[in-house]
Amino acid sequence: MTVVGTFGLSVRDQALEVDVQAGLAAVEEGLIEATKSDVPFITEAAQHLVRAGGKRFRPLLVSLGAQFGDPYAPGVVPSGVVVELTHLATLYHDDVMDQADVRRGVASANANWDNSVAVLTGDFLFARASQILADLGPEAVRVQAEAFERLVTGQIQETAGPAEGQDPVAHYLDVVAGKTGSLIAAAGHFGGLMSGADERIVSILTQYGERVGVAFQLADDVLDIASDAWESGKTPGTDLREGVATLPVLYVRARAGSPDATPEDRALSALLEGDLTDDARHAEALAGLRAHPALEQARQDTLRYAQEARALLEPLPEGAAKQALAALCDSVADRAS
């Protein structure tokens, strides 16, 4: 069976398939309901990215984590809605900061309307997530608040850049853990917490979520360079064209600045520092990165985080849910292979 086709995640367990698919369908209904407003324009803007689809990676992790307790507990689906609403809200804000024109194959909210509408719509989604959280209890509010603080901290760190003398790669991994890993960790936490799972299991699911979340982002970094076409809707080298220094680029810079740097290292690093909006320069940079050892180095980091996530699952009770979480690690790793 296929739990989520986007990830190619397959687990041969009919009961788990029914539970997860039903949970994700309920989350989808919850997202539509949570983005309705008495003001039609707000509904249109708030549902813009919901209806564009997406991987629903975070609600998936909530649903899988809930299998270690009561997957039908009343807080499971609402917490899945909360993490996805929070994620969607950050996308509205990210697109303004990045001046992006496209998101999930459709015009971004800021391109469709303007920056003010996009920012305020993101705020509206945060508010709706908070309303749902209020009914889930103080512990749920604390989990979300801590994750959101880390998410925003990661965004600020990315904007500020590494401190003087700080390793840019270490800084980047800290940013990814905050911006991406924190909310996926919260998804694992919610799945266990809301289902009434044992505290030890909740802790494992939280740590697992962060590791697999970082692996997920690093796989995207690799795919942005290595793949000709992939499921996110982004064309190859999008980050490169936008001047976003992802892990492979940072590794090229590190090699170019080392005493053992080759002329090829320095030439590629210089090219990456230039204007890559020009199609010819962009194609040259993309080809250079694909042939450079930095890409494989980034791929190995992705696999390491996925393997660490998988190893964390060892103490969990055996069963279809544990197998699905392990398969999710393999699926994320496969995206970078």
Side-chain angles (χ1 to χ4, degrees), residues 78-227:
S79 66
V81 175
V82 165
V83 291
E84 190 65 12
L85 279 176
T86 304
H87 173 57
L88 288 168
T90 65
L91 298 184
Y92 280 85
H93 288 178
D94 282 353
D95 286 345
V96 172
M97 294 180 67
D98 299 339
Q99 299 180 15
D101 294 324
V102 177
R103 169 70 69 175
R104 294 181 173 174
V106 300
S108 61
N110 47 300
N112 209 36
W113 293 289
D114 58 32
N115 285 348
S116 295
V117 169
V119 170
L120 292 170
T121 302
D123 292 345
F124 176 81
L125 297 182
F126 284 132
R128 286 297 172 87
S130 297
Q131 287 179 3
I132 297 170
L133 272 168
D135 293 331
L136 296 180
E139 178 65 11
V141 173
R142 184 189 65 79
V143 170
Q144 173 75 354
E146 290 180 355
F148 192 46
E149 178 186 352
R150 288 192 60 209
L151 192 158
V152 173
T153 299
Q155 183 66 70
I156 292 172
Q157 286 179 305
E158 181 180 57
T159 302
E164 185 175 351
Q166 184 181 12
D167 176 16
V169 170
H171 172 265
Y172 180 74
L173 293 174
D174 282 345
V175 166
V176 171
K179 280 189 61 178
T180 303
S182 63
L183 192 56
I184 297 177
H189 196 140
F190 277 135
L193 177 68
M194 291 297 138
S195 68
D198 182 84
E199 284 185 15
R200 176 167 153 271
I201 290 177
V202 174
S203 176
I204 290 170
L205 292 170
T206 304
Q207 295 174 64
Y208 165 87
E210 177 145 345
R211 297 295 198 290
V212 82
V214 173
F216 176 75
Q217 180 57 58
L218 298 185
D220 274 4
D221 289 359
V222 171
L223 279 167
D224 186 60
I225 293 165
S227 185

Side-chain angles (χ1 to χ4, degrees), residues 272-328:
L272 293 171
E273 296 300 320
D275 180 11
L276 297 180
T277 58
D278 176 77
D279 287 343
R281 288 177 59 85
H282 178 268
E284 183 183 355
L286 195 58
L289 276 167
R290 286 173 173 172
H292 196 276
L295 182 60
E296 180 58 27
Q297 196 172 358
R299 183 178 283 115
Q300 289 303 314
D301 280 347
T302 306
L303 297 177
R304 174 170 59 84
Y305 274 96
Q307 288 163 359
E308 288 176 359
R310 206 180 204 282
L312 284 166
L313 299 174
E314 184 59 33
L316 292 181
E318 295 299 329
K322 180 177 178 178
Q323 292 171 14
L325 290 171
L328 190 56

Side-chain angles (χ1 to χ4, degrees), residues 1-10 21 24 55 60 231 331:
M1 71 94 178
T2 300
V3 175
V4 174
T6 302
F7 295 99
L9 176 59
S10 297
Q21 294 290 11
L24 292 179
K55 301 178 184 69
L60 170 64
E231 68 272 13
S331 180

